Amino acid sequence: VTGTGPERRQAGPVPRDGPEPGQAGTGRGRSGLLGCRAHPGGCWWAQASGSSWSSGCGVCPGELVLLGSEHSMGCGVLGLSQVSIPLQLEPNVARVGSVASRLCQKLRLARPPVCRQAVQLFQGDVVAAWARSVLRPPEACGLLLGSRCGHWDILGAWNLSLPAAPKPPVRPPVPPPPGAPTARILFLTDLHWDRQYTPGSAAACPDPLCCRGAPRDGPGAAGFWGSYSKCDLPLHTIDALLAQLPNATGHTSNSTGGFAAAYWTGDIPAHDVWQQSRGDQLRALRTVTALLRTRLGGLRVFPAVGNHEATPVNAFPPPYVHGNRSAAWLYDAMAEAWQGWLPPAALHTLRAGGFYTAQVWPGLRLVSLNMNFCSQANFWLLINATDPAGQLQWLMGVLADAERDGEKVGEGCGGTCGGWSWNYYRIISRFEGTIAAQFFGHTHLDEFELFYDEETLSRPVSIAFVAPSVTTYINLNPGYRVYEVASSYPGSSHAVLDHETFILNLTEANTAPPGTLPRWQRLYRAREAYGLPTAFPADWDRLVRRMQDDEQLFQQFWFHLHKGHPPREPCGGPCKAALLCALRSGRAADPTLCQPLRPTLPFARIQELWHQRRLC
C-alpha cells in the first residue's frame, strides 16, 4: 500500500454513528460556529442553551478571544470563570468568515492578509461540513484540537468484522535463498513544488511558507537549490533529483542499478495552503506528473493521494458528497494524468474514492490507500468518521483475495487516527502472512512504526517504513528512498531486504560554483548503519530496544531521522522516550505499546511531544 504517512491520534472512548450517506445531520450542529486557537487550551465554542446560543470561554490564562455576532463583538480575557456572551449564529458563510477572520487577526495567528485569504478559502467547505454534522460545538473543538479544548468521540471505538476464513498458520520470515533475484524500488514522497520559489528571496518570514518574493542582498537569502527554513522546493531541484537516477532519460551511469518500479506517495503542491485554488493544484499535479514521465521514461509509477492535493488542504469529502463540494474534480484529474501507469480497474476506484489496487509484478500486488478519510485534519469527517468511504472493508476484500490466490501485498498508508487505526491494526495482524511491507510518507522524516500481534502485543508482525521527504520543509535536506525487495520467484516473500536513503547536502550544493550540478549522495544503508542481520520486523523491534541503552546508536538514528540536518536542540531524555515509544506505536493512543520500554514520562506527555514534532 502506498500513501501518506502515519500520524499518532488520540482515540475517543465511545462509538458514535454519523448520519446515513446522503443525509444531513440533526439540527444540533446545523447552525454551530467554532473558533480555536492553535495551541493547547486556547479555544472557544458556541453552545446550545434552549433555543438560543451562547459562547463559552475556557480556562486559558492570558489569552484574548473575540466573539462575534450579527449585532455585537465581545471580548474576554481567558483565565476567568466561564464567560457567556449571547451569540446569534447564522448560516451565513460570509458572516462566519468575517468572525473567523477577525479572530485570526486578533489572536495573531497569521498576518492579516493570510488570515483573510485562508478564511475565504476554507469557509465554504467548513460550514458545509459543519452544517451536515451531528457534533455539538465542544465536541468539534475537541476533535480538531484535542481533549484540552473539548470532549469528542466521533473517532472513537468502532469495529469492522474480519473475514470469516481462519488465519493461516504464521510462518516466520526467512531470507531469500542464495542467488535469488532482488529488485530495487524508487520511493518518492512529499515533493512540495513551490512555483513561486525565488533564489535570493527571504528565507525567513512571518508566513507559513517563505523563500518567495523579490531577491534581496545579504545573509538570509534563499539558496538556489533549496533552503534550511520554512521553504519548499523549486522545480529545478526536483528535476535534478530525477535526472541523476539510473532510470532517468539520458542518464548513462548504472552504478546503483536500475529500478523495477517507483512508488510516489503524493503531497505535490507547496505549503501555501492559504491561497491555493483548484487550478493551482491541478497545475502542480500535471506538471510534476509530466516531469516524472519525461525523466523516468517507461518506469511504471504507482502514485497515492496526499493530503496537500486538495484545496482547501485536507478537505476530502466522503464519496456520498456530490456536486461542487465533492472531490471529483481532483480524482478525475488524477485518473487522467496517471492512465498508462494504472490499469482500468484501478482508475475506476481512484475516480470513486482516491484508492486502488494493481499488480506490480507476478506475485506482488500493491494497494494504494487514501488515508485522508481517517485524518483528524479532514473536517468532512465531522459528518461521519466510521470508515466513510468503505475503504477498510474494501481493503479486507483485496487482502482476502490475495491470500486465497497466493499473492503478497505491499501496503503504505497515510495518517491513521482513532478507531480507524485500531481497525487497520487488526487487519495488519490478521493478514500478516499476506502483507509483504508497508510504505509510508507524509511526516517528512525518516522513521518507522512497528505492528505487533494482537494477542500479546509482543511479537512484531509488520513494519511501516516512513520515508523522508523530497522537500526541505522545515529545515531539512532534500531526500529520497530506495528499497531492495525480494523479487519474483517461486516462494518469494517480496519482503523488504534493505533500504537506502539519499540526500542533497544543501550547504554544499548552494556554495558550489554556478552551473555545477548538485551531487546527491547516499546518507546511509539501513542494515549496515544499524547492524541489522535482516530487515524483518523483529530486527527493527530489537533496534528500538538497543537504542534505549546505546546512546551513540540513538544519536545516529536521530541524525538520519532528519536527513543529516538535525535540529540544534539535542534530543534529551523526554524527547528520546517519546520517539522510541512512537516507533512502537502503530495504532493511536495505546499506552500498552510503550510499556515494554519502561518510559519515565506519563503517556499524555509522550503524546504532547509527538504533536510537537509534526512538520507537515
Side-chain angles (χ1 to χ4, degrees), residues 185-432:
I185 294 178
L186 172 66
F187 192 93
L188 301 171
T189 187
D190 299 273
L191 278 64
H192 290 291
W193 165 45
D194 184 5
R195 62 187 179 90
Q196 295 185 40
Y197 185 99
T198 305
S201 61
C205 71
D207 293 339
L209 184 64
C210 305
C211 296
R212 321 174 103 201
R216 47 176 284 182
D217 296 325
F224 182 79
W225 297 105
S227 297
Y228 295 128
S229 188
K230 294 185 299 180
C231 303
D232 284 319
L233 288 179
L235 194 63
H236 59 254
T237 303
I238 300 172
D239 184 48
L241 184 163
L242 298 172
Q244 56 87 42
L245 296 171
N247 283 68
T249 301
H251 187 86
T252 57
S253 172
N254 287 311
S255 59
T256 60
F259 302 119
Y263 298 164
W264 173 30
T265 56
D267 274 11
I268 307 169
H271 285 85
D272 56 339
V273 297
W274 69 94
Q275 58 180 20
Q276 293 171 336
S277 68
R278 289 184 176 181
D280 295 330
Q281 309 305 82
L282 297 181
R283 178 190 298 186
L285 166 69
R286 291 162 181 159
T287 300
V288 176
T289 297
L291 182 61
L292 264 66
R293 286 190 183 277
T294 299
R295 285 300 190 185
L296 299 182
L299 182 67
R300 195 171 176 197
V301 178
F302 296 89
V305 181
N307 65 304
H308 279 269
E309 268 67 88
T311 184
V313 65
N314 301 309
F316 287 84
Y320 53 76
V321 174
H322 303 291
N324 190 50
R325 299 287 181 202
S326 78
W329 66 274
L330 179 60
Y331 299 152
D332 287 346
M334 288 176 168
E336 180 181 347
W338 298 340
Q339 59 184 342
W341 286 338
L342 303 178
L347 295 174
H348 176 75
T349 55
L350 176 64
R351 289 181 185 273
F355 52 86
Y356 66 86
T357 181
Q359 188 181 73
V360 182
W361 55 64
L364 178 63
R365 174 167 298 279
L366 178 135
V367 173
S368 177
L369 294 179
N370 183 353
M371 306 303 292
N372 296 291
F373 289 134
C374 82
S375 170
Q376 188 173 3
N378 183 5
F379 48 80
W380 283 101
L381 298 187
L382 292 170
I383 300 175
N384 183 3
T386 304
D387 198 17
Q391 187 175 211
L392 285 181
Q393 198 72 50
W394 170 85
L395 172 62
M396 286 191 291
V398 171
L399 292 172
D401 291 345
E403 181 180 85
R404 179 198 63 208
D405 298 339
E407 286 185 314
K408 299 296 182 180
V409 175
E411 302 201 349
C413 324
T416 57
C417 52
W420 204 104
S421 74
W422 285 64
N423 280 281
Y424 179 75
Y425 203 97
R426 293 172 60 228
I427 293 171
I428 296 297
S429 180
R430 164 60 182 83
F431 290 99
E432 63 173 291

Side-chain angles (χ1 to χ4, degrees), residues 552-565:
Q552 184 177 358
L553 181 63
F554 175 78
Q555 292 302 328
Q556 183 183 29
F557 179 81
W558 180 254
F559 182 77
H560 294 157
L561 178 76
H562 296 92
K563 293 185 286 181
H565 193 258

